[in-house]
Amino acid sequence: MLGITESKGFLDLLIFYKGKVVGLEIKTEKTQTSSKGVASPEQKEWIKVLNASGIPAFVTYGFDEAKEILDKNFGNSCRVGTR
């Protein structure tokens, strides 16, 4: 069995906060419409596996969309933002 770091396509972030977990694959807003901004088959499979395991996982495009997903899953108490 391969570890996460040895497995192709694992998501960019796996975030743990106050007993909850969310997985994020972050694509840049600039590449959203190009092939570079599309989740690979391996990334899609990881998202499917995590979701089936009860861990919400998403592909996001840019900071604002990632923040919106984190706020929805962790509530505004997570205080995701920039300084």
Side-chain angles (χ1 to χ4, degrees):
M1 181 173 178
L2 293 175
I4 290 173
T5 58
E6 300 167 334
S7 184
K8 187 175 179 182
F10 194 74
L11 307 184
D12 292 323
L13 298 171
L14 194 57
I15 302 166
F16 298 83
Y17 182 74
K18 292 190 176 183
K20 295 182 181 180
V21 182
V22 171
L24 296 178
E25 173 60 32
I26 302 175
K27 304 296 184 185
T28 67
E29 293 165 330
K30 294 177 184 176
T31 60
Q32 184 173 358
T33 57
S34 74
S35 62
K36 290 182 181 179
V38 176
S40 70
E42 294 86 2
Q43 290 167 333
K44 290 177 184 177
E45 183 62 24
W46 270 113
I47 290 170
K48 182 179 172 182
V49 167
L50 290 170
N51 284 321
S53 299
I55 298 171
F58 308 89
V59 176
T60 65
Y61 297 93
F63 174 79
D64 290 337
E65 189 174 346
K67 181 185 181 311
E68 182 179 316
I69 287 171
L70 292 174
D71 285 345
K72 284 181 184 178
N73 283 273
F74 293 130
N76 291 332
S77 65
C78 187
R79 302 182 56 87
V80 176
T82 59
R83 294 180 189 234

